[in-house]
Amino acid sequence: STLPPGLEHPFGSALPACTTALGSMEVAGGQLDPRVPVTILTGFLGSGKTTLLNHILTATHGRKIAIIENEYGDTAIDDALIKDKNSKFHSDEEIVEVLNGCICCSVRQDLVDFVLKLAARTKAGHLCLDAIVIETTGLADPAPVAQTFLVDPEVREYARLDGIVTLIDAVHIEAHLDEEKPDGVVNEAAAQLAFADRLLLNKTDLVSSADLPRIEARLRAVNAFAPIERCAHGQVSVKSVLNIRGFDLQRALKISPEILNPNAPKTLHDARVGSVSLDQSAPRHLRLVNKGALNIRLMQQWVSELLQSAGDIFRMKGVLSIAHAEQRFVYHSVHMLFNGGFAAPWAEGEARESKMVFIGKNLNAEALADRFNACLETPETRARQLEALRFAIGDEVECNVDNEWCAGTVVAHLYRNEWMEQGMVAPYQVKLDQPLPDDDGLIFAPADIDECIRRRRGRDVTGTRPRR
């Protein structure tokens, strides 16, 4: 098979033929096109790109895919989530490369270099790819990324731009489109929408069905060409993302007349928007935070405060090492929407270190680092927790056990045993006055609030653990 007319291989000879999961090579201009199809997966911060990518990687399709993961900050989070969720698939079926920085500005040469490495491995017969997927940062303008596959001759002869797939956050897209930007500054959400060859309207489960027609009309006003597919949690067919043959150069030129001009001015982003990375694994001279495991209760309080005042924080995500937990805690948030929980266990010998990334306007790195350090499980934080407790050891209290108040005495502070949930430390251990037969009468109060534990008010309580 040969390339379309006018294209020659940079290596002086045709790339090795591959037997692919896609079947026969795609036809272009009446001739077979053996070039690797490239999908640019874009969408504003928190639209669900990594969730969609994980869905693609865990689907049964047999394709060998190279993943180029772009992280806006200095600390990589998403690649760890991909590897974590797809460890078996990751070792056999795909290649992951992380580019830190803005892929439409500062790391475009890194993108070229990586694609050419794939081309060299293919020429040597060591690699046969079915697709390349580039997940851009949520603040990327897709036009300069697409330009890489249109104007660089070596890249163009190895790979073809198959399509730009844009995820849309149904909850926040209207606010992002309405945001006022300084003169000359790109509205990234609008640019991602305008350049899309396919629109995936994600998180439709979080908005009412009555709102969806209005949201879709807003999308159509910017891009009347791209088909819209509704979805939730990034659950779409692989056919909606890979090998869609959606890219149209003539349409792209109408949107961005400078797309074929390698000397076009760089995308101008909002200077007020930036990222802060808190990474315990960073070298000492670059690390903003101290090492150590985090106290889950203090961490929850801090994140809750951030979410309540999240006007200038667009996106948070992290992998956390929690004290008294064998699994890593993985979370992400978009504005005030939060999702997180314990995920895969820490590997044997793996450093248990936390990483957090914040993206937003006018972020104060020093203040964020100070609050992170205040959440570490240290003798100082333990002392502060002890000082804040309402009851001393020996105090007579009443505990709410299965909605019945039982009398007892505080016997321990900040109590934990192996049967408790990961990361949990109870403010009190209490011994009931009248335990059941064959029961030591020891219980714990999960929170230091009157709904769980209160000072003993009289003798009208049972003092006995209720039978189950």
Side-chain angles (χ1 to χ4, degrees):
S1 60
T2 60
L3 288 175
L7 294 183
E8 296 179 358
H9 286 282
F11 309 109
S13 61
L15 295 170
C18 297
T19 300
T20 76
L22 298 176
S24 60
M25 299 294 184
E26 289 294 321
V27 175
Q31 300 187 32
L32 295 180
D33 187 349
R35 294 179 297 168
V36 179
V38 176
T39 297
I40 297 175
L41 182 60
T42 189
F44 202 69
L45 298 164
S47 58
K49 298 183 294 296
T50 301
T51 301
L52 171 61
L53 193 55
N54 273 314
H55 171 60
I56 292 172
L57 296 181
T58 54
T60 303
H61 50 64
R63 293 170 169 87
K64 188 171 184 66
I65 305 171
I67 306 297
I68 301 175
E69 174 72 41
N70 181 215
E71 300 257 14
Y72 183 74
D74 297 327
T75 298
I77 297 288
D78 291 342
D79 69 312
L81 305 187
I82 293 171
K83 294 175 184 177
D84 178 41
K85 291 189 178 182
N86 307 289
S87 56
K88 179 179 177 182
F89 188 87
H90 173 259
S91 62
D92 299 331
E93 302 295 341
E94 35 114 338
I95 301 163
V96 175
E97 177 75 0
V98 179
L99 304 179
N100 292 102
C102 183
I103 199 171
C104 68
C105 302
S106 58
V107 297
R108 287 175 63 190
Q109 187 57 48
D110 293 345
L111 172 61
V112 171
D113 292 344
F114 180 66
V115 173
L116 293 183
K117 286 179 183 178
L118 297 178
R121 290 179 61 187
T122 301
K123 178 179 173 18
H126 301 315
L127 179 67
C128 185
L129 287 176
D130 294 307
I132 297 172
V133 177
I134 302 171
E135 181 193 344
T136 74
T137 173
L139 293 174
D141 178 357
V145 185
Q147 185 188 77
T148 302
F149 295 90
L150 300 175
V151 303
D152 187 289
E154 291 182 300
V155 171
R156 189 183 67 212
E157 291 170 9
Y158 172 68
R160 65 173 176 83
L161 183 55
D162 180 68
I164 298 171
V165 178
T166 299
L167 257 77
I168 304 296
D169 178 350
V171 178
H172 298 108
I173 183 59
E174 291 177 291
H176 293 319
L177 291 176
D178 292 338
E179 183 180 1
E180 293 185 6
K181 295 283 189 177
D183 290 343
V185 170
V186 66
N187 182 316
E188 293 91 353
Q192 294 160 0
L193 173 55
F195 234 82
D197 300 306
R198 179 155 298 173
L199 297 171
L200 301 179
L201 182 56
N202 197 27
K203 303 186 181 182
T204 54
D205 56 318
L206 300 180
V207 299
S208 70
S209 57
D211 289 333
L212 288 173
R214 185 192 71 250
I215 295 170
E216 290 179 343
R218 289 292 306 271
L219 305 184
R220 287 272 177 244
V222 179
N223 186 333
F225 168 82
I228 299 173
E229 181 174 347
R230 297 179 182 180
C231 60
H233 309 290
Q235 298 287 315
V236 297
S237 168
V238 173
K239 294 179 180 179
S240 297
V241 180
L242 300 181
N243 213 41
I244 64 173
R245 281 216 165 257
F247 183 73
D248 183 337
L249 179 58
Q250 297 306 312
R251 191 175 73 86
L253 283 167
K254 292 180 181 178
I255 300 169
S256 178
E258 296 290 312
I259 193 171
L260 296 180
N261 178 10
N263 299 315
K266 291 185 178 180
T267 300
L268 183 60
H269 295 286
D270 191 339
R272 299 169 299 175
V273 176
S275 69
V276 172
S277 298
L278 305 181
D279 185 358
Q280 290 184 318
S281 66
R284 180 186 293 272
H285 67 288
L286 297 176
R287 184 162 23 99
L288 299 177
V289 294
N290 299 327
K291 293 203 173 188
L294 293 159
N295 179 294
I296 192 169
R297 192 179 297 271
L298 297 176
M299 196 69 193
Q300 288 171 336
Q301 291 173 353
W302 178 38
V303 171
S304 178
E305 291 173 13
L306 289 173
L307 293 174
Q308 293 301 318
S309 59
D312 285 340
I313 297 180
F314 302 151
R315 187 85 163 98
M316 293 191 294
K317 51 188 174 180
V319 178
L320 307 179
S321 172
I322 300 296
H324 313 295
E326 294 302 314
Q327 292 174 283
R328 68 196 75 206
F329 189 93
V330 177
Y331 81 94
H332 64 92
S333 72
V334 184
H335 297 287
M336 295 183 68
L337 298 179
F338 178 88
N339 182 271
F342 286 101
W346 296 99
E348 185 176 353
E350 180 183 7
R352 300 191 178 191
E353 295 171 322
S354 298
K355 299 179 180 182
M356 300 181 73
V357 173
F358 304 82
I359 302 175
K361 287 182 181 177
N362 307 313
L363 298 179
N364 186 326
E366 184 176 349
L368 290 171
D370 287 345
R371 285 303 306 270
F372 177 96
N373 289 332
C375 295
L376 293 172
E377 182 87 341
T378 65
E380 291 76 18
T381 56
R382 180 179 175 86
R384 288 198 297 270
Q385 287 181 285
L386 286 170
E387 186 178 354
L389 294 178
R390 295 181 297 157
F391 304 117
I393 293 176
D395 281 357
E396 294 184 339
V397 295
E398 298 170 3
C399 296
N400 187 344
V401 183
D402 293 341
N403 293 319
E404 186 171 347
W405 289 99
C406 302
T409 302
V410 175
V411 295
H413 286 153
L414 302 184
Y415 171 76
R416 175 171 175 79
N417 65 39
E418 60 182 312
W419 307 112
M420 295 167 71
E421 294 180 2
Q422 290 195 81
M424 180 179 181
V425 175
Y428 306 103
Q429 186 185 36
V430 175
K431 184 172 180 61
L432 297 180
D433 289 356
Q434 300 178 31
L436 293 173
D438 301 321
D439 186 347
D440 61 12
L442 290 171
I443 63 172
F444 65 84
D448 190 12
I449 56 176
D450 275 344
E451 288 77 10
C452 292
I453 183 172
R454 68 190 185 192
R455 193 170 301 280
R456 195 178 298 190
R457 297 180 178 179
R459 297 299 177 183
D460 57 343
V461 291
T462 68
T464 303
R465 184 200 298 265
R467 294 183 181 274
R468 296 179 181 272

